[in-house]
């Protein structure tokens, strides 16, 4: 992808039913709509559902405390993402608030692990390299039941559910040590975590504040 080259160049030179799938992962088995007739608020582009959290529809996890829901262009169902267990998929959203010079398509990283779906920023918070080759790791004592995500470039490791930095999973030998030192200033910065939701044949994303 175009933004991958931009990232590398910069690094090497210095929302019928309501839906709510939040930054807490959502089980894929819950991704189906309930019957029509108990409709809650409608959702418009960039809007938020005008309904209470206690509602029918998709089985809910903890709802985002704030933020708007935006449709992801061309993604009608979670199945469209063709997610594979333990792999990271880069998904373009073309949402203005996620678009920047190094990420012109507003892409995000989506991961399936143990039937749960997680969504994070496209790039590592430490080195800014795209996470398409990042390693999805099983939970550790530090993360409890939450899986981890380790950047393949600088080896920065994150709690995949909360985005918090955790103990580095792999030093990566001499090269990994050099990369860790080079990007040490971003070492404690958390990984942005986003919410995903599905309603009426459309997948939405909520990036919070």
């Amino acid at each position: 992808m175009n933004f991958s080259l931009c990232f590398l160049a910069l690094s090497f030179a210095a929302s019928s039913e309501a839906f709510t799938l939040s930054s807490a992962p959502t089980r894929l088995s819950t991704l189906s709509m309930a019957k029509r007739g108990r409709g809650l608020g409608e959702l418009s582009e960039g809007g938020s559902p005008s309904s209470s959290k206690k509602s029918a529809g998709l089985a809910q996890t903890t709802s985002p405390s704030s933020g708007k829901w935006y449709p992801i262009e061309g993604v009608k169902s979670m199945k469209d993402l063709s997610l594979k267990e333990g792999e990271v998929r880069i998904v373009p959203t073309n949402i203005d608030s996620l678009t920047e010079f190094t990420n012109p398509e507003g892409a995000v990283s989506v991961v399936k692990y143990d039937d749960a779906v997680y969504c994070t920023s496209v790039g590592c918070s430490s080195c800014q390299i795209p996470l398409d080759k990042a390693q999805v790791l099983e939970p550790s004592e530090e993360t409890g039941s939450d899986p981890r995500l380790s950047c393949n470039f600088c080896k920065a490791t994150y709690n995949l559910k909360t985005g918090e930095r955790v103990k580095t999973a792999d030093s990566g030998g001499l090269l990994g040590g050099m990369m860790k030192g080079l990007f040490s200033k971003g070492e404690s910065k958390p990984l942005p975590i986003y919410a995903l939701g599905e309603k009426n044949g459309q997948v939405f994303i909520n990036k919070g504040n």
Side-chain angles (χ1 to χ4, degrees), residues 31-107:
L31 296 175
S32 58
M33 300 304 296
K35 293 181 180 179
R36 299 189 177 194
R38 302 176 191 166
L40 300 165
E42 291 186 356
L43 185 76
S44 59
E45 183 173 355
S48 55
S50 56
S51 58
S52 65
K53 295 180 182 178
K54 187 176 181 181
S55 61
L58 292 178
Q60 297 185 10
T61 58
T62 303
S63 299
S65 58
S66 60
K68 296 180 179 180
W69 293 90
Y70 298 87
I72 300 179
E73 184 180 340
V75 184
K76 298 180 179 181
S77 166
M78 297 297 287
K79 292 182 179 180
D80 291 344
L81 298 176
S82 301
L83 301 174
K84 295 182 179 180
E85 183 73 18
E87 291 186 6
V88 180
R89 172 149 188 216
I90 302 300
V91 179
T93 68
N94 293 304
I95 295 172
D96 290 342
S97 58
L98 287 172
T99 300
E100 53 188 10
F101 176 71
T102 54
N103 186 13
E105 295 181 307

Side-chain angles (χ1 to χ4, degrees), residues 25 34 39 47-48 99 165-166 193 204-205:
S48 55
T99 300
R165 280 296 304 269
V166 296
I193 299 296
F204 295 80
I205 186 170

Side-chain angles (χ1 to χ4, degrees), residues 108-188:
V108 294
S109 301
V110 182
V111 179
K112 175 187 175 184
Y113 182 86
D114 193 23
D115 265 349
V117 175
Y118 303 82
C119 184
T120 78
S121 63
V122 69
C124 172
S125 292
S126 179
C127 69
Q128 306 305 312
I129 296 296
L131 293 166
D132 55 326
K133 302 298 183 182
Q135 186 176 11
V136 181
L137 305 171
E138 62 185 12
S140 66
E141 183 176 348
E142 184 178 4
T143 63
S145 60
D146 303 333
R148 298 166 292 157
L149 187 67
S150 179
C151 175
N152 69 302
F153 186 71
C154 73
K155 306 305 177 182
T157 306
Y158 306 89
N159 180 314
L160 193 49
K161 178 180 177 180
T162 67
E164 296 177 333
R165 280 296 304 269
V166 296
K167 182 179 179 181
T168 301
D170 180 8
S171 64
L174 179 60
L175 179 59
M178 292 174 61
M179 293 301 101
K180 180 179 178 181
L182 181 61
F183 300 106
S184 59
K185 290 184 178 180
E187 192 166 343
S188 62

